[in-house]
Amino acid sequence: MKFVFSRFFYLLLALGLIPLSLSWTHPWLRWVALLYDFLLLLLALVDARITQLSPAVQIAREINGRFAVGGETEVRIEIQNSTPRPLTIDVKDEYPPQMKLDGLREGKLYVEAQSSLALAYNLTPPKRGRFEFGQIVVRFLSRLGLVWRETKIGQQQFVKVYPNMRRAREAELKALGARSLVASHRKSSWRGEGREFESLRDYVRGDEMRHISWTATARRGRLTTRQYQIERDQNVLIALDAGRLMTARIETETKLDSAVHAALALMSAATRAGDNSGLLVFGRRIQAYLPPSRGREQMDAVLEALYPIEPEMIEPSYTRAFEYIAANTKRRSLVVLLTDLVDEEGSRELLTSLRLLRPRHLPLVVTIADRDLKAVVRDAPENISDLFNQSVAEEIIHQREAALRLVESQGGLALDVTAAALAPALLEKYLQVKERGLL
């Protein structure tokens, strides 16, 4: 039983000082004051004991929407007073301390009879994962008004913090612009070097000879060119490395966090283009797999799969990941590997494992750099420390470029970008693959 004395109690306690002040001339008043204080304290204890929060008072926590990294979400403490008397109540919510608080999560509220009131505040989670709310701490005035009784309402509540889909969508719009908006219309077409026939038109200077339809030319009596549109319903499978190098932090987030939001931006663009997108997350073992599909249910499943993923301090197994893809994805797909490479050993395993994907699939290896290494070696060194940093940067650049050239020599595609440029560069590469009909 937890309680604190009210102001009314202290006021009554102060009244007991009156007979005590007169006890200099009447010593027996000391016993009167002592008995008064004892009875007052006993009455306060009984008051705290018998006072309970009425079942007609309902208090509950409501979360408006779902939590996303870096996104502000409103939390409300709803108080419903169905009793015939007004209620003064002190409420304090136990929110996850890792989240950033905006507003007051505690306050004293006066709730009229047969009415309701809410205490609202906002929380911003700093990362993905599972977070815990505690119970709601409530203080209410006792029946006689001598104490504030304290109790806890509800149970501990676990909430999931998902990747920020709005951030991914903004990256898609920023990178693709009007092309992304056009793709949102189901009947629209992107004309390019795709392989899906769209229409016939008159030949114009510069058209490739292989696109000329000789049967239509003979029928019309003039040169006629076949026009193609970028194919729909193709497969894009994103393989997300959750190994040691993806634990590196860039400002406030890890490389894995950057890769997660870039992957979501690519999946959003693929969905709008009419393609199927899937996900594979791997470290030393396969952590999650969603076969290529599209639709709202697929995106919800991807968010559900990604929210608990954390990078491991262990080397990833590219061989195990590519074997899994080869065994479970039979249809030709663009396999986008989001990873990082530094040493020759990691590059060697990746290059050896790529043979498991070719020639059925088209691999795109995307390496995520900590920062622009080329900018590090661009300027002349000013001291020994700068010289050392530049030599290390040059060695890393050389190894990465050599590994990516070998990827391209095996029929794959390669991309080396910083985390800041990851999403735009990845989306642009996806469009190039579509426009050139590489799938």
Side-chain angles (χ1 to χ4, degrees), residues 240-381:
L240 195 59
D241 175 7
R244 179 179 62 85
L245 292 178
M246 301 299 278
T247 63
R249 300 197 70 84
I250 301 172
E251 295 183 352
T252 60
E253 63 182 20
T254 63
K255 285 187 180 181
L256 180 64
D257 293 322
S258 300
V260 163
H261 286 101
L264 289 173
L266 176 58
M267 296 184 81
S268 176
T271 298
R272 293 173 186 276
D275 287 341
N276 303 308
S277 57
L279 176 72
L280 176 82
V281 183
F282 70 98
R284 291 304 298 175
R285 58 182 179 82
I286 306 301
Q287 299 184 23
Y289 174 69
L290 292 171
S293 183
R294 63 172 177 264
R296 183 181 181 86
E297 294 79 9
Q298 177 74 348
M299 292 305 297
D300 288 342
V302 168
L303 292 174
E304 197 68 32
L306 287 175
Y307 92 86
I309 298 297
E310 292 294 337
E312 304 172 321
M313 289 300 295
I314 193 169
E315 298 299 331
S317 174
Y318 297 112
T319 302
R320 187 169 296 170
F322 294 165
E323 284 177 347
Y324 193 93
I325 293 173
N328 291 275
T329 308
K330 299 302 182 182
R331 183 180 176 188
R332 179 172 171 80
S333 305
L334 172 64
V335 178
V336 181
L337 173 63
L338 296 176
T339 186
D340 194 15
L341 297 173
V342 173
D343 53 34
E344 294 182 5
E345 184 177 347
S347 303
R348 190 181 304 113
E349 185 196 352
L350 169 61
L351 295 169
T352 303
S353 304
L354 277 179
R355 292 178 296 182
L356 297 168
L357 298 179
R358 298 291 297 163
R360 179 186 296 274
H361 303 294
L362 175 62
L364 167 58
V365 178
V366 183
T367 55
I368 308 169
D370 294 336
R371 53 179 175 160
D372 189 355
L373 295 176
K374 293 181 180 178
V376 176
V377 301
R378 187 177 300 133
D379 301 326

Side-chain angles (χ1 to χ4, degrees), residues 78-106:
E78 297 284 350
I79 305 165
Q80 177 67 45
N81 180 19
S82 301
T83 66
R85 295 184 300 176
L87 174 68
T88 300
I89 191 168
D90 204 351
V91 178
K92 181 178 180 180
D93 195 17
E94 296 180 357
Y95 72 98
Q98 304 94 328
M99 294 189 183
K100 179 183 176 182
L101 173 67
D102 183 15
L104 297 176
R105 51 106 177 210
E106 59 181 305

